[in-house]
Every structure is written in structure tokens, then in C-alpha cells.
Amino acid sequence: MTPATDRPGLIARLREPREWDLAIIGGGAVGLGVALDAAVRGLSVVLVESHDFAQGTSSRATKLAHGGVRYLAQGDIHLVREALHERAAILANAPHVAQRLPFVMPGYHWWERGFYGLGLKAYDALAGRHGLGGTEWLSTRRALELLPGVQPRGLWGGVRYWDGQFDDARLALLLARTALARGALVVNHCPAVGLLHEGGRVCGVQVRDAETGTESGLRARCVVNAAGVWVDAVRAMDRDADAADRPEAAPLVAPSQGVHLVVDRAFLPGTHALLVPKTTDGRVLFAVPWLGKTVLGTTDTPRHDLAREPEPFADEVAFILGEAGRYLARAPQRADVRSVWVGLRPLVKPAGDEREGAAGETKALSREHQVVIGRSGLVTVTGGKWTTYRAMAEDVLDRAMARGLLPRRAGAVTARLPLIGAAPGRPLGEPPGEHLYGSEAALLRTLPGAERWLWRDAESQRGGLSEAMVRFAVRHEMARDVEDVLARRCRLLFLDAAEAARQADAVAAIVAQELGHEVDAGGFKALAAQYQRLP
């Protein structure tokens, strides 16, 4: 079932005088997960997102649905076990945008192959019946066969293991659309500008339609703050309401910045990803085939400003290129980078440590999530990782029900819930195309321009972006501007920023036809220039 996504209809529902069971602030992975879970349980749900769905952290991940090998090394067994089980749910519920992916961990010291292989066997054991394939020790020859492009000099073989990969922004869109189909109201480009209170309790959200400036008050029994790295700004709205100096007013988030560089597939051809578990400074390095390109990353750097479009630091870019050059036979240079993107992770701040910059080495902070219910009844969730979004959503609702903020409903309803379009898909290493639409590919082909390609992948001449895909993004995926299309419906901004800029005018013209008003491409071109710029 394709849900109705026309904006006038959504805004009309938003303005209806009623009380919702649940109002959610934030349209990233966790907020959308909460909306879907609550809707399936039969609760009335409204979600508002200030910009676009997954525009922040949830579209800037390393594209891995995984347990986290490095968290296992840190001894965070609970998080790894939970994530491995949730990985299985993602792959089962959205097979057109999430599949298993083989990794090779090369060894350049005699002891690494055996040592890391034993650790990955433990990773398999934690996955249990949800495992994706057994860990194998590889000879040097076999490692070179599976990982063409890896540095052969000094190679002592390697280890192959299996994890998951996904298209993060498209998965978030599927969550939003599936929630809509289940009766929830989800609206993007509609920021929460305040909280409503009665008798010292939160009773709703004041929202503004970013396109018209019109404000509406949404009354709700329970309000969930799922704004990611921006949760403390929403909590500040609650503090301002009664000016109380409450213990829960202390900041929850210690933001961490993750940088990714994208280069051509030629740097790491084949179907396997590369994982270096411990680089020169102890961080992890990935080289992952994704949508026809290779993603290099990631960094883990404390960041105290919360820019919507953060830029990389010079040392982060140097680190990724330098380490990639040590492990790839052909070392990527600055001129080879097609796109650079930066995401902010909402890591939970260490309890009792409120000093400026107290997070220090954010790579050591736990990826466990935290749910806080304030005295006003505002429910805040932060931390965690993309892979565990569904478990986080269950935890939020269970705690809200336990506190009497929501009527009790049975849980565990989304573990086996196929998302819209669910159908077996082609490997995500291939360029973007119709295969990412799953069973909705037939609907896509009925739209005007299904055979008119705006962009084709230069390396493979397969896949790409058609005129029909732009129309589908507006008609069925709630895209409102050029950035929504080229950044998150088609991932061209993340794959090749210069090419995305070249397509901006053509996309703007089609979006304008669909929306019935002029659409500017200038702002997107400026953004694309940022994604091309290295410090």
C-alpha cells in the first residue's frame, strides 16, 4: 500500500483540533522508529521534523547495519549482541535497501590473522542464529583474490566475516512512509518551535510549517524528544517553561563528528569491504563498496558546535587519506575525492561530568542509548546507533507506558514487519537504480520519464537517476526541494557532489512541475560545493 503523502493533506491533518496519544519531535532513525512502533500498537501518533527526514545524523552513517566489531573490543557485549540481533531485523524487513556484506580484515603482522579471527568468531557466537555467515581465515592468495586493490606488500593473509549494509536515508524514508500507511502523521519541514504546558506538565508541541510560516498547536498525552544531537535544545524549551533549576537540565549529549570520503570504485574493486581494526592512532578504518563508489572512513572527533552542515577538520581528511594509502595498493589523493560528508553522533555525555569538552576521546564513549523522563513528563531519547533504532523505539514506548504517559499496548510488534516495497534486492555495491524501490519499481515505471535518464553512473553505465525517480520522490516520498531529491532520495550528493551540482537545474525544473511553483537550485549548488571542498 502506497500511503497518501500530499503535503496539503498532511498539513490539514496537522491542524485538526484533537489530542494525540503521542507527539514526536525529530524525524531521524529513532523518531521514525518510535512513530512506526506506536502506530502499529494502535496509538495515535504525530511526528514533526524541522528539515527533512534523516537530514542530520541518520543520512550520514558509514552505511553499515552492524554489531560493531570495535565495540566488542571495548567489551560492550550487551550493545554488540543487541545490535547483531537488530541487524537481522533490518535485513529481513527491508531487503531492497539492506543486505549482508562480506568484509576482509587484512593482516600485516604474523599474529593479526589468528588474533582477529578469534575475535570475529566471538562476534559470530554473539549473533547466534542471526548470523550472516561464518568467519574464515584466509591465505594471502585468497585475501588478494577477495580484496583486489588491497596493498599486497607485507600481507600475511586475512580474515573474512559478514556484516550488514544499507542505504540509511532510504531506510528512514521507508520507516516514515510505513508509519504513514499504519495511520501515523509524519511531516517534514515542520520545526517544533515550543512545548505546550499545563500545570507544569508537557501537554503538546507548537509547530511551524516551514513553507508557509503558519503555526499550530499539537496537543498530546505524551511528547517524545528524539532530536538526535539537538535533544538538549528541545529540553531547553522545557526548562524555559517553568524556570526550575532541575537536575535533569544538565546536557545529555557529547557530540562526536564522523567524516567520510568517497572515491571511485576502482580504488577497491570487487564485492568485499575492507576493515582495518586498529590504525596508527587506534581508530577503525573502513573502505566500503556502496552504490557504485567506495566510502572511506570514519573519524571520531569531539565537536561542540551543532552546525546542520558541519565541515571536516583538516586532520580528519589527512588521517583518512593517509591510512587508506597504507592499506590500498593505489593511494587515493585529495583530487580523487568525489564527495565528503560529515555527520554528528549524539553520544551520551558521561554522568556527573559537565566540564566543557569533558567528552575528550569520544571514541571511548559508549554507544548505548539513554531514555530520560523529566519532571514535566517530556521523554528524551539519545545515544545508540542506527542499527538499534527499533530496540530504542521499543524502550521509549515501554518506559512511557510504565510511567502512565501512554496507554499500555503489547510490544515487539515491529521485529517482523516488512517495510513498504520490501522485496529481495540487488547488492548495494551497485549504482543506485530501480532495484532500490523493491516492489514499488513497477509503480515507478508508470511515471513520466521512466526512460529519460538525467544521470548515469560513469564507471558502470548502469543505474543512475531518471526523471521518473524525481517525480516519485515528490509524489510518494515527500521531497520538497532539490536537496531532498539529490541528497536523500537519490544519493548523488553523497556519491559525486560535482555531478549533483550539474543535475540541480534539471531536477529543480521537474520538482517545480510537480509542486506547481518555482523551485530554486542555487542553495543546493552552494551545498554541493561544500561537499566537494577539502580543508
Side-chain angles (χ1 to χ4, degrees):
M1 172 185 176
T2 300
T5 57
D6 63 295
R7 189 169 183 89
L10 298 178
I11 296 298
R13 287 181 62 192
L14 196 69
R15 294 175 181 165
E16 292 174 357
R18 60 171 298 179
E19 182 178 55
W20 301 84
D21 288 323
L22 178 62
I24 303 164
I25 300 171
V30 178
L32 293 168
V34 174
L36 176 57
D37 193 321
V40 174
R41 296 193 201 204
L43 300 173
S44 59
V45 183
V46 58
L47 177 148
V48 291
E49 161 56 40
S50 61
H51 293 75
D52 187 26
F53 302 118
Q55 183 166 343
T57 305
S58 294
S59 63
R60 302 158 193 261
T62 313
K63 319 307 177 195
L64 301 178
H66 63 146
V69 170
R70 68 171 169 146
Y71 309 138
L72 180 62
Q74 293 171 359
D76 204 339
I77 303 299
H78 173 266
L79 174 63
V80 174
R81 180 185 288 112
E82 178 182 63
L84 288 170
H85 289 200
E86 291 302 319
R87 178 189 68 179
I90 290 176
L91 270 60
N93 292 337
H96 49 318
V97 298
Q99 292 115 31
R100 70 177 193 153
L101 176 70
F103 282 76
V104 172
M105 189 182 292
Y108 288 92
H109 297 90
W110 65 267
W111 55 269
E112 288 182 325
R113 179 174 169 270
F115 178 77
Y116 291 127
L118 290 174
L120 290 168
K121 287 289 187 180
Y123 195 64
D124 292 346
L126 286 173
R129 63 186 178 86
H130 299 294
L132 303 179
T135 293
E136 307 167 61
W137 279 277
L138 305 174
S139 67
T140 300
R141 179 178 176 180
R142 183 60 173 154
L144 289 171
E145 289 176 352
L146 296 179
L147 208 60
V150 74
Q151 173 60 257
R153 189 172 58 253
L155 185 64
W156 285 72
V159 184
R160 178 166 73 167
Y161 75 101
W162 295 82
D163 234 323
Q165 181 181 40
F166 70 138
D167 184 332
D168 48 6
R170 290 202 64 82
L171 181 58
L173 289 169
L174 293 175
L175 292 173
R177 296 176 61 222
T178 307
L180 269 173
R182 292 290 183 142
L185 172 60
V186 299
V187 185
N188 55 350
H189 299 286
C190 189
V193 295
L195 297 175
L196 306 180
H197 292 81
E198 279 184 1
R201 304 284 295 179
V202 170
C203 65
V205 184
Q206 188 75 11
V207 302
R208 179 188 299 129
D209 180 354
E211 297 189 1
T212 66
T214 304
E215 293 195 8
S216 306
L218 304 176
R219 295 187 60 82
R221 296 177 59 173
C222 177
V223 175
V224 169
N225 171 15
V229 293
W230 296 278
V231 292
D232 287 323
V234 176
R235 294 170 72 235
M237 296 179 189
D238 196 24
R239 293 201 300 272
D240 292 345
D242 63 6
D245 229 356
R246 299 192 300 270
E248 66 262 31
L252 288 178
V253 172
S256 165
Q257 175 165 293
V259 174
H260 300 82
L261 308 181
V262 176
V263 297
D264 286 338
R265 188 65 175 274
F267 285 92
L268 191 70
T271 59
H272 287 60
L274 164 71
L275 170 65
V276 177
K278 193 171 184 179
T279 57
T280 51
D281 71 349
R283 285 182 281 190
V284 171
L285 177 74
F286 292 100
V288 179
W290 185 67
L291 299 183
K293 300 294 183 184
T294 298
V295 177
L296 305 174
T298 177
T299 59
D300 202 337
T301 309
R303 180 124 194 184
H304 305 300
D305 61 303
L306 298 180
R308 183 63 60 170
E309 287 290 346
E311 297 194 34
F313 300 124
D315 60 345
E316 293 177 300
V317 173
F319 164 76
I320 294 174
L321 290 177
E323 291 299 311
R326 294 181 64 220
Y327 292 96
L328 298 178
R330 178 185 168 196
Q333 306 299 314
R334 293 170 65 90
D336 297 315
V337 176
R338 299 286 188 175
S339 184
V340 52
W341 79 76
V342 183
L344 299 178
R345 304 181 184 96
L347 306 184
V348 176
K349 199 175 185 72
D353 195 348
E354 307 307 329
R355 293 174 288 111
E356 182 67 23
E361 290 290 330
T362 52
K363 66 186 177 184
L365 294 186
S366 172
R367 265 51 174 181
E368 297 277 2
H369 72 274
Q370 184 174 5
V371 178
V372 175
I373 302 180
R375 293 180 184 177
S376 69
L378 177 67
V379 180
T380 296
V381 56
T382 193
K385 56 200 296 284
W386 227 121
T387 308
T388 60
Y389 83 89
R390 198 201 63 81
M392 293 170 66
E394 280 192 356
D395 191 24
V396 168
L397 294 177
D398 289 345
R399 295 195 190 199
M401 291 174 187
R403 285 284 293 269
L405 300 173
L406 289 171
R408 289 194 174 273
R409 296 285 192 277
V413 292
T414 56
R416 295 178 178 84
L417 179 68
L419 302 183
I420 282 180
R426 297 214 305 268
L428 288 175
E430 296 186 15
E434 289 185 357
H435 57 285
L436 294 174
Y437 294 79
S439 64
E440 291 189 303
L443 173 61
L444 172 69
R445 288 191 287 269
T446 67
L447 300 183
E451 301 301 325
R452 289 192 288 275
W453 294 92
L454 304 178
W455 163 74
R456 296 283 267 180
D457 179 72
E459 287 188 280
S460 66
Q461 287 302 310
R462 298 199 315 271
L465 174 66
S466 69
E467 178 183 316
M469 290 175 186
V470 180
R471 298 190 188 280
F472 189 95
V474 178
R475 295 185 189 184
H476 302 296
E477 296 177 328
M478 295 171 277
R480 304 299 298 171
D481 55 32
V482 177
E483 182 188 337
D484 288 357
V485 174
L486 287 175
R488 288 169 293 279
R489 277 70 178 172
C490 168
R491 308 308 305 277
L492 188 55
L493 177 65
F494 285 72
L495 298 172
D496 189 332
E499 184 61 42
R502 287 190 286 271
Q503 299 302 328
D505 289 327
V507 170
I510 299 169
V511 174
Q513 289 177 13
E514 292 293 320
L515 296 181
H517 61 72
E518 186 175 344
V519 174
D520 176 54
F524 176 78
K525 291 179 181 179
L527 178 64
Q530 178 180 327
Y531 277 60
Q532 299 172 59
R533 187 167 58 244
L534 297 179

